[in-house]
Amino acid sequence: MAAFPWHPRSRNYTSEFESCRLEAIPVEFGDYHPLKPITVTESKTKKMGRKGSTSSTSSSSSSSMIDPLSSVLDGTDPLSLFAATADPVSTAANTDSTRKKRDKDDSLVVGSDFEPWSSKRGEILARYTTTEKLSINLYMSSEKGKATTPGSAVSEKVRTRLEELDDLEEGSQKELLNLTQQDYMNRIEDLNQSLKDAWASDQKVKALKIVIQCSKLLSDTTVIQFYPSKFVLITDILDTFGKLVYERILSMCLDNRGSLPDNFTPESVNDTAKETCLNWFFKIASIRELIPRFYVEAAILKCNKFLSKTGISECLPRLTAMIRGIGDPLVAVYARAYLCRVGMEVAPHLKESLNKNFFDFLLTFKQMHGDTVQNQLVVQCVEIPLYLTLYSPAIDWILQCIAYRAPEILLTEMMERCKKLGNNALLLNSVMSAFRAEFIAARSMDFIGMIKECDESGFPKHLLFRSLGLNLAMADPPECDRLQILNEAWKVITKLKNPQDYINCAEVWVEYTCRHFTKREVNTILADVIKHMTPDRAFEDAYPQLQSIIQKIIAYFHDFSVLFSAEKFLPFLDMFQKESVRVEVCKCIMEAFIKHQQDATKDPVILNALLHVCKTMHDSVNALTLEDEKRMLASLINGFIKMVSFGRDFEQQLSFYVEARSMFCNLEPVLVQLVHSVNQLAMETRKVMKGNHSRKTAAFVRACVAFCFITIPSLTSIFARLNLYLNSGQVALANQCLSQADAFFKAAVSLVPEVPKMINIDGKMRPSEPFLLEFFCNFFSTLLIVPDHPEQGVLFLVRGLLNVIQDYTWEDNSDDKVRIYTNVLHLLSAMTQETYIYHIDKVDSNDTLYGGDSKFLIEINKLCEAVIAQILDHLKTLGQEETLKRQSQLALYFFNSILAHGDLRNNRLNQLSVNLWNLAQKHGFADTKTMVKTLEYIKRQSKQPEMSHFTELALRLPLQSRT
């Protein structure tokens, strides 16, 4: 087709800027202002009476800002309005009664600050294990039961059920021997499921038999070291049973009013439910053996609420007294723990029963060292220290219940009782674990004195110091005692020969040291840890504790110059020989540095240490490393790089970047950050020198440019390379390094053909053309001010880029090529102006070099004609029915470009714009609102003197309806 000439319009950018400025209007005091409080008119309606009421409306003005969410708080939300329509008298009465009930129940509720039993369950099961063989008695269903005829008396039913319960003692059991721990746990789980199945099939007596049988297992201490775990498993079944019974009786209380409220009283329970509840207690009372009778009744303790307000408070002392009949001290203490657990769930305010349980335990304390227990331990080959640890879960739980929200004076009483028992270590440890850390910390020296007097044969003293250290990590002791406390504790800890015992204590006391002392004391602790853990590579078995020590140190020492100047800190890091652990520690250090380092640093101590840390992270990357892990490591290293600044010592800064590039070459995001940082450094140099470009400065900038030019090709991401070439070229141009800028831009142009059709973005394959379009738009903005090379010809970079665009294989269903050509047209139009819209200081662009030379303008017009031909050819190819919508959109897009950049006084260009307008509407795919707004814009522009020819154009642009 014949060439279509392009006639760009002349632009006066200064006047255009002025016309786009917002008009400044002086605001008088009291006039409208966007930040002035809104005035709201509020209407209120008053009711004058119930019948035949009249309403009066009053209006009031408010000058305060009304928050739309505040209506929820002031009672005007829909639910509040609904409540307001209720009878005020009854509402007030209900409110008062509800408040009283709530106040009353507050004392019954255990708060979230109470650690529940469920959180201890897993720890107990994991800690108390055995390789010994276990045995269990399984209930075998009896077929002796006779069906009850409808005419049977109630007493006959009761007798039959009692006989069924007696089956347990008449051979209806099967003993399984030689079970492993896992087999035993599986059997217990089977029993739990059998209980649920029996209950679901309405076999209540069978369910009770299973619970009784399981409870009997708690009297067996044959494999004594497994007893705490057995207690956990069995009490799970008891809990299930108690819940089933309670919910069964509760369901019988349903009536027309629905279920009972949570704070119901016995008076609201019907007779049927009460009778059923009594029946359960009578069944349990008929159990002959003490231990199952105690446990099963304790499991349904909550059911006393159906019978009497004082039922629970009366049962707890009786059940506490029942435990006195259990001869084995270990079995007895766990029975007390279960009773305390149930008591805290149903009546936490009844602290007297909790205290009584504990004091009864103290009275039987000497039984642990009695002949019966000692003989049992000899038979099972269990040492006394191990035996005493079996008591810890039970005692800890009992004391936790007692200490919950208890006054400080109770701790004093407990300490006195411990002294009377000869400062028993087991008991003392539980006391320190149970009471509030503030109470323990305030009496730290008293506890240290008691620990010194403890007998170490049964319970090691270092465990007591560990418990004390845990409290001091949460609360501060008196300032005058802090150093003495540390000295006393460390005297004991440093003498420990077993590395595991040592590190378990040292880990706890490191936090106390960091909390209250300086680098000197922490360095001493680290030196001692290294001394104990290095022989025989003991540190290999203590990585979690060593890692915890690092975390605690960096949590308190945020001045990294102080931290890294500690002599033993880096040698301590060297103990992390396992790569995965070492990398995790390094990540922890870097996260703390990035979080807490407020100012940029050039401290050599910090730089050397963190370069070592970052190098460790970098060197852990291999072919199997996940992309997420690489991103995280790169992010941490980049955070460090950004925090390094040598001020105006630019050469030293560049040297640091060069060293970092050599150290972190396997992490692409780090290399990208380094290129950005060097470009920023070059611009900072230009800014500081304020145009005084000495030879030294020029040489430094060229060094920065060389760094970027060498680094960018090593990147694998093609768009990272494209964008960095462009960014680096812009920096070189800003620093008057014209030949280097040309080299970057040429590299970018030559790289475009390598762009693949699909690229990986966050793990997903995406089309690359939208990213390529964005890159070209940025590139065109830069090319406007790039001066032509004297040896390369007119617009050599633009011509090269057009050739690349022409040769690139675009998607068949994509119009991005035409959109790029349209943007090229914008660029070429801007190049024809006498003065460009923007410049770079001390760089002469083509408007200065050519000065509007006619040959230069002819070359631009030739390029414009070629670009327009490409656009029109593409529009013709979209004439098929399935591509008409794309044709409409592109036609309007090209029309707007001509409107903005073309001189529409030229008849051929004017006619082309009319044709494009009609083409956009031809097949009904144009958006009517867009067309209307475009036409309105043309009419507004026609009122400007230099745009009067738009008046005629507007008359030639019809609006077509879709009908």
Side-chain angles (χ1 to χ4, degrees), residues 211-223:
V211 175
I212 294 172
Q213 174 189 351
C214 291
S215 302
K216 284 187 174 183
L217 296 175
L218 290 175
S219 62
D220 177 21
T221 57
T222 306
V223 184

Side-chain angles (χ1 to χ4, degrees), residues 110-140:
V110 175
S112 58
D113 55 335
F114 183 82
E115 186 180 4
W117 174 259
S118 58
S119 66
K120 300 177 180 294
R121 182 182 182 278
E123 181 185 348
I124 295 173
L125 290 174
R127 180 179 177 186
Y128 297 97
T129 59
T130 183
T131 56
E132 299 287 329
K133 296 300 181 181
L134 302 162
S135 63
I136 190 172
N137 291 323
L138 285 179
Y139 164 70
M140 303 301 293

Side-chain angles (χ1 to χ4, degrees), residues 116 239 261 272 312 346 386 475 515 586 613 689 738 756 813 887 936:
D239 293 341
T272 303
I312 293 176
V346 300
L386 174 60
R515 192 180 176 104
C586 291
V613 170
M689 299 309 295
L738 301 184
N813 60 346
Q887 185 188 59
E936 289 175 351

Side-chain angles (χ1 to χ4, degrees), residues 936-950:
E936 289 175 351
Y937 167 78
I938 294 172
K939 291 177 180 179
R940 284 197 304 271
Q941 291 294 100
S942 67
K943 296 177 182 179
Q944 299 182 22
E946 67 275 13
M947 294 291 186
S948 58
H949 57 284
F950 272 28

Side-chain angles (χ1 to χ4, degrees), residues 699-855:
F700 176 78
V701 171
R702 286 196 295 272
C704 292
V705 170
F707 176 97
C708 298
F709 202 78
I710 293 171
T711 307
I712 295 173
S714 65
L715 303 177
T716 58
S717 169
I718 194 160
F719 277 100
R721 280 185 279 164
L722 282 172
N723 290 315
L724 287 175
Y725 275 135
L726 177 57
N727 180 245
S728 300
Q730 292 166 343
V731 171
L733 193 63
N735 285 278
Q736 296 93 53
C737 298
L738 301 184
S739 59
Q740 288 86 350
D742 284 347
F744 280 116
F745 296 144
K746 286 180 182 178
V749 172
S750 64
L751 190 59
V752 170
E754 299 179 23
V755 175
K757 295 292 178 290
M758 305 292 288
I759 56 174
N760 190 314
I761 303 292
D762 295 333
K764 296 182 179 179
M765 299 306 293
R766 306 286 189 191
S768 62
E769 288 189 9
F771 299 95
L772 197 56
L773 175 61
E774 180 183 2
F775 167 75
F776 278 133
C777 291
N778 292 334
F779 201 178
F780 296 153
S781 300
T782 303
L783 288 178
L784 174 63
I785 52 175
V786 175
D788 282 343
H789 194 283
E791 298 178 2
Q792 299 289 340
V794 178
L795 302 178
F796 73 99
L797 283 174
V798 177
R799 292 178 187 276
L801 198 55
L802 284 173
N803 291 333
V804 168
I805 295 170
Q806 179 64 30
D807 296 338
Y808 187 80
T809 305
W810 301 89
E811 293 290 340
D812 294 336
N813 60 346
S814 168
D815 300 317
D816 286 333
K817 180 179 179 180
V818 173
R819 296 183 186 278
I820 291 171
Y821 276 140
T822 307
N823 281 282
V824 171
L825 205 58
H826 301 169
L827 168 64
L828 294 173
S829 299
M831 284 182 166
T832 64
Q833 305 302 314
E834 285 188 25
T835 304
Y836 291 170
I837 189 171
Y838 47 81
H839 293 87
I840 289 181
D841 187 33
K842 296 187 178 182
V843 173
D844 292 332
S845 299
N846 286 339
D847 57 341
T848 303
L849 294 179
Y850 293 107
D853 183 76
S854 58
K855 293 182 180 179

Side-chain angles (χ1 to χ4, degrees), residues 433-495:
S433 301
F435 280 86
R436 287 174 55 185
E438 293 84 356
F439 296 170
I440 304 296
R443 296 167 171 77
S444 298
M445 292 306 301
D446 293 336
F447 276 104
I448 287 177
M450 295 171 69
I451 292 172
K452 285 182 176 180
E453 297 174 3
C454 283
D455 181 11
E456 199 171 7
S457 60
F459 198 93
K461 285 185 180 180
H462 70 266
L463 294 181
L464 298 177
F465 275 106
R466 185 178 190 279
S467 296
L468 179 60
L470 288 171
N471 283 282
L472 296 180
M474 295 183 287
D476 299 334
E479 189 171 356
C480 58
D481 296 336
R482 291 173 184 174
L483 182 58
Q484 186 179 356
I485 291 171
L486 179 61
N487 289 334
E488 293 291 345
W490 209 257
K491 284 179 186 176
V492 176
I493 296 171
T494 194
K495 292 178 181 178

Side-chain angles (χ1 to χ4, degrees), residues 8 50 85 517 549 612 740 805 837:
R50 290 188 178 181
T85 61
F517 299 98
I549 289 174
H612 171 72
Q740 288 86 350
I805 295 170
I837 189 171

